[in-house]
Amino acid sequence: MKYFSTRDTEKNSFDSAVVIKKGLAADGGLFVPDSLPSISREEIEKLCGMSYPERAATVLSKFLTDYTYEELLEDCKNAYCEASFPDGAAQLNKINDTIYSLELWHGPTAAFKDMALQIMPRLLSRALVKTGEKNTALILVATSGDTGKAALEGYKDIEGIKIIVFYPVDGVSKVQKLQMATQTGNNVNVCAIKGNFDDAQNGVKKIFSDNEAKQKLLENSYILSSANSINWGRLAPQIVYYVSAYCDMLNSGDIEYGETVNVCVPTGNFGNIFAAYLAKLMGLPIAKLICASNDNNVLTEFLSTGTYNRNRKFHTTISPSMDILISSNLERLLYFTAGSEKTADYMQQLNKNGQYTISDDIKALISENFEGYFANEDSTRKTLERFYKEYGYLADTHTSVALDCAEQYIAKTNDTKKIIVASTASPYKFAADVYEAIAHKPASADTGALDDLAALTNTEISYPLRNLADRKVNFNTVIESADMLNEVYKFM
Ligand SMILES: *Cc1c(COP(=O)(O)O)cnc(C)c1O
């Protein structure tokens, strides 16, 4: 299987190892596969009898055809091992007759980003060997909180790779900030910027397209690579857990073979939901993809009107990993529905005017598969409280946005199909807001919120978040977003 850029009408193609190493295409586009493998009924039945690492290696081997199955299986076994995921990699919990929560946050940083970032560094490591790379890969990450920590944990102390993470200084939770500031490892750097997530992401994108900077880095034996969800190495492993969840529902008898389910995803950069869409295109029986947003509802508007307009107020919410106005992976959906030429044109309009409008036929194609809803802050809190009190289900703030949107979808459509709701973070990662939503009073200051939430709900603090306040702070730099390149040079 080969890959090319979403914006390249000539379709210059590359192997997956090259694509994982590069991260972003030279023309600014995102890499997409040249065809989509299918997944047959027989294969799904076989997958039902497999462990998560085996399921992952099987699905990945359809896309990463320049890796052997044995290589992928070894990496998947190491990535999704019991030490990193003591409670299992992708747990499905039945909440009520319709709604199932797919908990993707039982990994080393308590967010779903671990599902991709525990495996991607291993894929990159192999990619460097496969492509004969002699230079050090420098990973640049812009994060709204969860990616940063998950990438740091995935890449720390890996030979031949260095990583630098930029996050918006006031755009992440206290726990997230503390998780990153206390990072260990001899090849890592963490830096806060004055600005929001889009400033951080634009800064990183700018460096990626700065030829002078890349030349200077190369002279010092560095090449750039990305760990953001624009990297195909992030996206491919996310297809796996939708297939896996479907198998688990078959195994438990909750569905019959061929029965279609809906999927609802709390969305930021559009990576996670796009992975579900790819699973559907492969043949997994998924009906609707419900795109859940918070007050930053640019995607809700896009899916209902066909106009994407980033010229709007940026809201800092209690679900900060979804506080995004430019959802980069949407470009991949545009490519799959409208082709390279139109995608390049829309992206140029977005860069220039901050908006674009898709044609009616493309909008109709997208609407066959996607519906968008959003939950404001008040509804998110009320839904969080209600799911806890009615069903005994404790969700984090991001998952609550999705639960709220799933219920809106049911109310609007009367669709009775089962819905897999992606649960993207441990409630303890956003303990202060989760506590307040249920207890109707603020938690104790700082990380006292974790203990408050544990006492209130009689649940255990997620293992990566225990004793966070006692760890040594290794990083406290804050810079202007214009100084990001300088920070990279200093780190180099
Ligand atoms: C990253 C993240 C999201 C958004 O996922 P995308 O793939 O960027 O759409 C949602 N919730 C949490 C907790 C996250 O960390």
Side-chain angles (χ1 to χ4, degrees), residues 105 110-114 143-147 176 197 229 234-235 238 241-242 265-275 291-292 299 319-324 327-329 396-399 422-426 429-430:
W105 44 262
F112 97 97
K113 305 289 195 292
D114 290 329
T143 184
S144 53
D146 291 336
T147 302
Q176 288 176 318
F197 169 71
S229 64
R234 277 280 301 278
L235 208 52
Q238 298 184 352
Y241 44 74
Y242 293 108
V265 184
T267 297
N269 228 353
F270 210 76
N272 201 2
I273 194 168
F274 187 73
C291 176
L299 285 166
S319 44
S321 299
M322 299 159 72
D323 292 347
I324 289 176
S327 295
S328 303
N329 272 297
D396 90 295
T397 46
H398 303 74
T399 307
S423 175
T424 49
S426 157
K429 198 146 190 189
F430 301 92

Short mmCIF file of all heavy atoms in Angstrom, two decimals, residues 105 110-114 143-147 176 197 229 234-235 238 241-242 265-275 291-292 299 319-324 327-329 396-399 422-426 429-430, ligand 1:
data_model
loop_
_atom_site.label_atom_id
_atom_site.label_comp_id
_atom_site.label_asym_id
_atom_site.label_seq_id
_atom_site.Cartn_x
_atom_site.Cartn_y
_atom_site.Cartn_z
N TRP A 105 -8.71 4.94 27.89
CA TRP A 105 -7.78 5.74 28.71
C TRP A 105 -7.13 4.96 29.84
O TRP A 105 -6.72 5.55 30.83
CB TRP A 105 -8.51 6.96 29.27
CG TRP A 105 -9.87 6.67 29.83
CD1 TRP A 105 -11.06 6.85 29.19
CD2 TRP A 105 -10.20 6.14 31.13
NE1 TRP A 105 -12.10 6.48 30.01
CE2 TRP A 105 -11.61 6.04 31.21
CE3 TRP A 105 -9.44 5.76 32.25
CZ2 TRP A 105 -12.27 5.56 32.34
CZ3 TRP A 105 -10.10 5.28 33.37
CH2 TRP A 105 -11.50 5.18 33.40
N ALA A 110 -3.39 8.11 31.09
CA ALA A 110 -4.82 8.22 31.42
C ALA A 110 -5.65 8.98 30.38
O ALA A 110 -6.70 9.54 30.69
CB ALA A 110 -5.02 8.83 32.81
N ALA A 111 -5.16 9.01 29.13
CA ALA A 111 -5.95 9.60 28.03
C ALA A 111 -5.87 8.68 26.81
O ALA A 111 -4.95 7.87 26.69
CB ALA A 111 -5.43 10.98 27.67
N PHE A 112 -6.83 8.83 25.92
CA PHE A 112 -6.89 7.88 24.79
C PHE A 112 -5.70 8.01 23.85
O PHE A 112 -5.43 7.09 23.06
CB PHE A 112 -8.22 8.07 24.02
CG PHE A 112 -8.13 8.93 22.80
CD1 PHE A 112 -7.99 8.36 21.54
CD2 PHE A 112 -8.19 10.30 22.89
CE1 PHE A 112 -7.92 9.15 20.40
CE2 PHE A 112 -8.12 11.10 21.76
CZ PHE A 112 -7.98 10.52 20.51
N LYS A 113 -4.98 9.13 23.94
CA LYS A 113 -3.82 9.31 23.08
C LYS A 113 -2.80 8.18 23.24
O LYS A 113 -2.05 7.88 22.32
CB LYS A 113 -3.12 10.65 23.40
CG LYS A 113 -4.00 11.89 23.34
CD LYS A 113 -4.38 12.25 21.92
CE LYS A 113 -4.94 13.64 21.79
NZ LYS A 113 -6.25 13.85 22.41
N ASP A 114 -2.80 7.53 24.41
CA ASP A 114 -1.88 6.41 24.63
C ASP A 114 -2.10 5.28 23.64
O ASP A 114 -1.17 4.56 23.30
CB ASP A 114 -2.05 5.85 26.05
CG ASP A 114 -1.55 6.80 27.12
OD1 ASP A 114 -0.59 7.55 26.84
OD2 ASP A 114 -2.11 6.79 28.23
N THR A 143 0.24 20.64 21.56
CA THR A 143 -0.74 19.88 22.32
C THR A 143 -1.75 20.78 23.02
O THR A 143 -1.41 21.87 23.48
CB THR A 143 -0.05 18.98 23.37
OG1 THR A 143 -1.03 18.19 24.03
CG2 THR A 143 0.71 19.80 24.40
N SER A 144 -2.99 20.29 23.08
CA SER A 144 -3.97 20.96 23.91
C SER A 144 -4.02 20.25 25.27
O SER A 144 -4.94 20.44 26.04
CB SER A 144 -5.34 20.96 23.23
OG SER A 144 -5.70 19.65 22.87
N GLY A 145 -3.04 19.43 25.54
CA GLY A 145 -2.93 18.83 26.86
C GLY A 145 -2.57 17.36 26.85
O GLY A 145 -1.53 16.96 27.38
N ASP A 146 -3.41 16.54 26.24
CA ASP A 146 -3.24 15.09 26.36
C ASP A 146 -2.18 14.52 25.42
O ASP A 146 -1.42 13.63 25.80
CB ASP A 146 -4.57 14.38 26.13
CG ASP A 146 -5.55 14.65 27.26
OD1 ASP A 146 -5.07 14.96 28.37
OD2 ASP A 146 -6.76 14.54 27.04
N THR A 147 -2.11 15.03 24.20
CA THR A 147 -1.11 14.53 23.25
C THR A 147 0.29 14.70 23.80
O THR A 147 1.13 13.80 23.69
CB THR A 147 -1.18 15.28 21.91
OG1 THR A 147 -2.48 15.14 21.38
CG2 THR A 147 -0.18 14.75 20.92
N GLN A 176 -2.92 18.13 33.80
CA GLN A 176 -2.18 17.98 32.54
C GLN A 176 -0.84 18.71 32.61
O GLN A 176 0.20 18.20 32.19
CB GLN A 176 -2.99 18.55 31.38
CG GLN A 176 -4.19 17.69 30.99
CD GLN A 176 -5.02 18.35 29.90
OE1 GLN A 176 -5.26 19.56 29.93
NE2 GLN A 176 -5.46 17.57 28.95
N PHE A 197 -4.28 26.81 21.71
CA PHE A 197 -3.79 25.62 21.02
C PHE A 197 -3.51 25.88 19.55
O PHE A 197 -2.51 25.40 18.99
CB PHE A 197 -4.78 24.46 21.15
CG PHE A 197 -4.43 23.31 20.24
CD1 PHE A 197 -3.32 22.51 20.50
CD2 PHE A 197 -5.17 23.04 19.11
CE1 PHE A 197 -2.97 21.46 19.67
CE2 PHE A 197 -4.83 21.99 18.25
CZ PHE A 197 -3.73 21.20 18.53
N SER A 229 -1.86 14.15 15.53
CA SER A 229 -2.74 13.16 14.88
C SER A 229 -2.80 13.39 13.38
O SER A 229 -3.48 12.67 12.66
CB SER A 229 -4.14 13.18 15.49
OG SER A 229 -4.77 14.41 15.26
N ARG A 234 -0.27 7.82 13.85
CA ARG A 234 -1.21 8.02 14.95
C ARG A 234 -2.58 7.49 14.58
O ARG A 234 -3.30 6.92 15.39
CB ARG A 234 -1.37 9.53 15.23
CG ARG A 234 -0.33 10.15 16.12
CD ARG A 234 -0.58 9.90 17.60
NE ARG A 234 -1.84 10.39 18.12
CZ ARG A 234 -2.08 11.62 18.49
NH1 ARG A 234 -1.13 12.53 18.41
NH2 ARG A 234 -3.25 11.97 18.96
N LEU A 235 -2.94 7.74 13.34
CA LEU A 235 -4.32 7.46 12.91
C LEU A 235 -4.58 5.96 12.76
O LEU A 235 -5.60 5.45 13.23
CB LEU A 235 -4.57 8.18 11.58
CG LEU A 235 -6.00 8.58 11.30
CD1 LEU A 235 -6.59 9.37 12.46
CD2 LEU A 235 -6.05 9.42 10.04
N GLN A 238 -5.68 3.83 15.62
CA GLN A 238 -6.99 4.17 16.19
C GLN A 238 -8.14 3.47 15.48
O GLN A 238 -9.25 3.39 16.00
CB GLN A 238 -7.19 5.70 16.13
CG GLN A 238 -6.15 6.44 16.96
CD GLN A 238 -6.36 7.94 17.00
OE1 GLN A 238 -7.19 8.49 16.30
NE2 GLN A 238 -5.59 8.59 17.83
N TYR A 241 -9.39 -0.02 17.56
CA TYR A 241 -10.29 -0.22 18.70
C TYR A 241 -11.76 -0.18 18.33
O TYR A 241 -12.59 -0.69 19.07
CB TYR A 241 -9.96 0.70 19.88
CG TYR A 241 -9.66 2.14 19.62
CD1 TYR A 241 -10.66 3.03 19.29
CD2 TYR A 241 -8.36 2.63 19.77
CE1 TYR A 241 -10.39 4.38 19.10
CE2 TYR A 241 -8.07 3.98 19.58
CZ TYR A 241 -9.07 4.85 19.25
OH TYR A 241 -8.79 6.18 19.06
N TYR A 242 -12.10 0.38 17.19
CA TYR A 242 -13.50 0.31 16.75
C TYR A 242 -13.81 -1.11 16.28
O TYR A 242 -14.88 -1.66 16.57
CB TYR A 242 -13.78 1.34 15.66
CG TYR A 242 -13.68 2.75 16.20
CD1 TYR A 242 -12.62 3.58 15.88
CD2 TYR A 242 -14.64 3.22 17.11
CE1 TYR A 242 -12.51 4.86 16.42
CE2 TYR A 242 -14.54 4.50 17.65
CZ TYR A 242 -13.47 5.31 17.31
OH TYR A 242 -13.36 6.56 17.86
N VAL A 265 -18.12 10.31 18.95
CA VAL A 265 -16.75 10.61 19.36
C VAL A 265 -16.61 12.07 19.80
O VAL A 265 -16.97 12.98 19.05
CB VAL A 265 -15.77 10.35 18.19
CG1 VAL A 265 -14.34 10.57 18.63
CG2 VAL A 265 -15.94 8.94 17.65
N PRO A 266 -16.09 12.30 21.01
CA PRO A 266 -15.77 13.68 21.42
C PRO A 266 -14.60 14.17 20.59
O PRO A 266 -13.51 13.61 20.65
CB PRO A 266 -15.40 13.55 22.90
CG PRO A 266 -14.98 12.13 23.09
CD PRO A 266 -15.69 11.32 22.04
N THR A 267 -14.82 15.19 19.80
CA THR A 267 -13.90 15.51 18.71
C THR A 267 -13.16 16.82 18.90
O THR A 267 -13.73 17.81 19.34
CB THR A 267 -14.69 15.52 17.38
OG1 THR A 267 -15.20 14.20 17.16
CG2 THR A 267 -13.81 15.89 16.21
N GLY A 268 -11.90 16.79 18.52
CA GLY A 268 -11.06 17.99 18.52
C GLY A 268 -10.45 18.15 17.15
O GLY A 268 -10.94 18.88 16.29
N ASN A 269 -9.37 17.42 16.93
CA ASN A 269 -8.64 17.51 15.66
C ASN A 269 -9.22 16.59 14.58
O ASN A 269 -8.66 16.47 13.51
CB ASN A 269 -7.17 17.18 15.90
CG ASN A 269 -6.25 18.19 15.26
OD1 ASN A 269 -6.69 19.08 14.53
ND2 ASN A 269 -4.98 18.07 15.50
N PHE A 270 -10.32 15.89 14.89
CA PHE A 270 -11.03 15.03 13.94
C PHE A 270 -10.26 13.75 13.62
O PHE A 270 -10.56 13.06 12.65
CB PHE A 270 -11.34 15.80 12.64
CG PHE A 270 -12.60 15.33 11.93
CD1 PHE A 270 -13.85 15.67 12.42
CD2 PHE A 270 -12.53 14.54 10.79
CE1 PHE A 270 -15.01 15.24 11.77
CE2 PHE A 270 -13.68 14.11 10.14
CZ PHE A 270 -14.92 14.47 10.63
N GLY A 271 -9.26 13.40 14.44
CA GLY A 271 -8.49 12.19 14.18
C GLY A 271 -9.24 10.93 14.59
O GLY A 271 -9.36 9.97 13.82
N ASN A 272 -9.74 10.94 15.83
CA ASN A 272 -10.39 9.76 16.38
C ASN A 272 -11.64 9.38 15.58
O ASN A 272 -11.83 8.22 15.21
CB ASN A 272 -10.74 10.05 17.84
CG ASN A 272 -10.96 8.80 18.66
OD1 ASN A 272 -10.81 7.69 18.16
ND2 ASN A 272 -11.32 8.98 19.92
N ILE A 273 -12.46 10.36 15.27
CA ILE A 273 -13.69 10.06 14.52
C ILE A 273 -13.35 9.66 13.08
O ILE A 273 -14.02 8.82 12.49
CB ILE A 273 -14.70 11.23 14.58
CG1 ILE A 273 -16.08 10.75 14.08
CG2 ILE A 273 -14.22 12.43 13.78
CD1 ILE A 273 -17.21 11.74 14.37
N PHE A 274 -12.29 10.22 12.54
CA PHE A 274 -11.91 9.84 11.18
C PHE A 274 -11.45 8.38 11.13
O PHE A 274 -11.70 7.66 10.16
CB PHE A 274 -10.83 10.77 10.62
CG PHE A 274 -10.55 10.51 9.17
CD1 PHE A 274 -11.46 10.89 8.20
CD2 PHE A 274 -9.40 9.85 8.77
CE1 PHE A 274 -11.24 10.61 6.86
CE2 PHE A 274 -9.17 9.57 7.43
CZ PHE A 274 -10.09 9.96 6.47
N ALA A 275 -10.79 7.94 12.21
CA ALA A 275 -10.39 6.53 12.28
C ALA A 275 -11.63 5.63 12.27
O ALA A 275 -11.64 4.57 11.63
CB ALA A 275 -9.56 6.28 13.54
N CYS A 291 -20.45 13.32 15.52
CA CYS A 291 -19.31 14.18 15.86
C CYS A 291 -19.73 15.09 17.01
O CYS A 291 -20.60 15.95 16.84
CB CYS A 291 -18.91 14.98 14.63
SG CYS A 291 -17.60 16.18 14.94
N ALA A 292 -19.15 14.89 18.19
CA ALA A 292 -19.52 15.65 19.38
C ALA A 292 -18.51 16.76 19.63
O ALA A 292 -17.31 16.52 19.67
CB ALA A 292 -19.59 14.72 20.59
N LEU A 299 -17.23 22.42 14.04
CA LEU A 299 -17.56 21.22 13.26
C LEU A 299 -19.06 20.98 13.20
O LEU A 299 -19.58 20.51 12.18
CB LEU A 299 -16.87 19.99 13.87
CG LEU A 299 -15.36 19.88 13.61
CD1 LEU A 299 -14.74 18.83 14.53
CD2 LEU A 299 -15.07 19.56 12.15
N SER A 319 -13.60 20.94 28.76
CA SER A 319 -13.10 19.82 27.94
C SER A 319 -12.02 20.37 27.01
O SER A 319 -12.20 20.45 25.80
CB SER A 319 -14.23 19.16 27.15
OG SER A 319 -15.09 20.14 26.57
N PRO A 320 -10.87 20.77 27.58
CA PRO A 320 -9.86 21.55 26.84
C PRO A 320 -9.24 20.81 25.66
O PRO A 320 -8.76 21.46 24.73
CB PRO A 320 -8.80 21.86 27.90
CG PRO A 320 -8.97 20.82 28.94
CD PRO A 320 -10.44 20.51 28.97
N SER A 321 -9.24 19.49 25.68
CA SER A 321 -8.64 18.76 24.55
C SER A 321 -9.49 18.87 23.30
O SER A 321 -9.10 18.41 22.23
CB SER A 321 -8.44 17.29 24.91
OG SER A 321 -7.57 17.18 26.01
N MET A 322 -10.68 19.47 23.44
CA MET A 322 -11.54 19.69 22.28
C MET A 322 -11.64 21.17 21.94
O MET A 322 -12.45 21.55 21.09
CB MET A 322 -12.93 19.13 22.56
CG MET A 322 -12.92 17.63 22.82
SD MET A 322 -14.37 17.09 23.72
CE MET A 322 -15.61 17.26 22.45
N ASP A 323 -10.83 22.00 22.60
CA ASP A 323 -10.85 23.44 22.33
C ASP A 323 -9.99 23.74 21.11
O ASP A 323 -8.84 24.16 21.22
CB ASP A 323 -10.35 24.23 23.54
CG ASP A 323 -11.31 24.14 24.72
OD1 ASP A 323 -12.44 23.68 24.52
OD2 ASP A 323 -10.92 24.54 25.83
N ILE A 324 -10.56 23.51 19.95
CA ILE A 324 -9.81 23.59 18.70
C ILE A 324 -10.70 24.25 17.65
O ILE A 324 -11.88 23.92 17.54
CB ILE A 324 -9.40 22.17 18.24
CG1 ILE A 324 -8.33 21.61 19.18
CG2 ILE A 324 -8.89 22.18 16.80
CD1 ILE A 324 -7.92 20.18 18.89
N SER A 327 -9.66 21.86 12.81
CA SER A 327 -9.58 20.42 12.99
C SER A 327 -8.83 19.82 11.80
O SER A 327 -9.42 19.57 10.74
CB SER A 327 -10.99 19.83 13.08
OG SER A 327 -11.62 20.31 14.25
N SER A 328 -7.54 19.62 11.97
CA SER A 328 -6.67 19.29 10.83
C SER A 328 -7.09 18.05 10.06
O SER A 328 -6.98 18.02 8.84
CB SER A 328 -5.24 19.10 11.32
OG SER A 328 -4.80 20.25 11.99
N ASN A 329 -7.53 17.02 10.78
CA ASN A 329 -7.84 15.77 10.08
C ASN A 329 -9.09 15.84 9.21
O ASN A 329 -9.34 14.93 8.41
CB ASN A 329 -7.98 14.62 11.08
CG ASN A 329 -6.65 13.96 11.34
OD1 ASN A 329 -6.04 13.40 10.43
ND2 ASN A 329 -6.17 14.06 12.57
N ASP A 396 -15.45 11.44 32.33
CA ASP A 396 -14.72 12.71 32.38
C ASP A 396 -15.51 13.74 31.57
O ASP A 396 -16.56 13.44 30.99
CB ASP A 396 -13.30 12.53 31.80
CG ASP A 396 -13.27 12.79 30.32
OD1 ASP A 396 -13.90 12.00 29.59
OD2 ASP A 396 -12.67 13.79 29.88
N THR A 397 -15.01 14.96 31.53
CA THR A 397 -15.74 16.05 30.89
C THR A 397 -15.85 15.87 29.36
O THR A 397 -16.86 16.26 28.77
CB THR A 397 -15.06 17.39 31.19
OG1 THR A 397 -13.64 17.23 31.01
CG2 THR A 397 -15.31 17.81 32.64
N HIS A 398 -14.82 15.30 28.73
CA HIS A 398 -14.86 15.11 27.28
C HIS A 398 -15.87 14.02 26.91
O HIS A 398 -16.67 14.18 25.99
CB HIS A 398 -13.48 14.72 26.74
CG HIS A 398 -12.42 15.73 27.07
ND1 HIS A 398 -11.90 15.86 28.34
CD2 HIS A 398 -11.81 16.66 26.31
CE1 HIS A 398 -11.01 16.83 28.32
NE2 HIS A 398 -10.93 17.35 27.12
N THR A 399 -15.80 12.92 27.65
CA THR A 399 -16.74 11.83 27.41
C THR A 399 -18.17 12.31 27.64
O THR A 399 -19.09 11.92 26.92
CB THR A 399 -16.40 10.64 28.33
OG1 THR A 399 -15.02 10.31 28.15
CG2 THR A 399 -17.26 9.43 28.03
N ALA A 422 -16.97 6.88 22.33
CA ALA A 422 -15.55 6.85 22.68
C ALA A 422 -15.33 7.62 23.97
O ALA A 422 -15.67 8.80 24.06
CB ALA A 422 -14.72 7.44 21.54
N SER A 423 -14.80 6.94 24.98
CA SER A 423 -14.48 7.61 26.25
C SER A 423 -12.99 7.90 26.24
O SER A 423 -12.16 6.99 26.20
CB SER A 423 -14.85 6.70 27.42
OG SER A 423 -14.44 7.29 28.63
N THR A 424 -12.65 9.20 26.23
CA THR A 424 -11.29 9.58 25.85
C THR A 424 -10.35 9.95 26.99
O THR A 424 -9.15 10.09 26.77
CB THR A 424 -11.32 10.73 24.83
OG1 THR A 424 -12.19 11.74 25.32
CG2 THR A 424 -11.82 10.24 23.48
N ALA A 425 -10.88 10.12 28.19
CA ALA A 425 -9.96 10.44 29.30
C ALA A 425 -10.50 9.88 30.60
O ALA A 425 -11.72 9.73 30.77
CB ALA A 425 -9.74 11.95 29.43
N SER A 426 -9.60 9.58 31.50
CA SER A 426 -9.99 9.20 32.86
C SER A 426 -10.66 10.39 33.53
O SER A 426 -10.22 11.52 33.38
CB SER A 426 -8.73 8.81 33.65
OG SER A 426 -8.98 8.94 35.04
N LYS A 429 -8.36 12.71 35.28
CA LYS A 429 -7.51 13.67 34.57
C LYS A 429 -8.13 15.07 34.64
O LYS A 429 -7.44 16.07 34.52
CB LYS A 429 -7.34 13.22 33.12
CG LYS A 429 -6.18 13.88 32.48
CD LYS A 429 -5.46 13.04 31.48
CE LYS A 429 -4.17 13.80 31.14
NZ LYS A 429 -3.45 13.24 30.04
N PHE A 430 -9.45 15.12 34.83
CA PHE A 430 -10.14 16.40 34.92
C PHE A 430 -10.94 16.43 36.22
O PHE A 430 -12.11 16.82 36.27
CB PHE A 430 -11.01 16.60 33.67
CG PHE A 430 -10.19 16.56 32.42
CD1 PHE A 430 -9.99 15.37 31.74
CD2 PHE A 430 -9.52 17.70 31.98
CE1 PHE A 430 -9.16 15.31 30.62
CE2 PHE A 430 -8.70 17.66 30.86
CZ PHE A 430 -8.52 16.46 30.19
C1 LIG B 1 -7.34 14.49 21.93
C2 LIG B 1 -8.58 14.33 22.69
C3 LIG B 1 -9.83 14.45 22.08
C4 LIG B 1 -9.98 14.80 20.62
O1 LIG B 1 -9.57 13.79 19.75
P1 LIG B 1 -9.29 14.14 18.21
O2 LIG B 1 -8.73 12.88 17.65
O3 LIG B 1 -8.29 15.25 18.21
O4 LIG B 1 -10.56 14.56 17.60
C5 LIG B 1 -10.95 14.23 22.84
N1 LIG B 1 -10.86 13.97 24.17
C6 LIG B 1 -9.67 13.86 24.79
C7 LIG B 1 -9.63 13.57 26.25
C8 LIG B 1 -8.49 14.03 24.08
O5 LIG B 1 -7.33 13.92 24.70
#
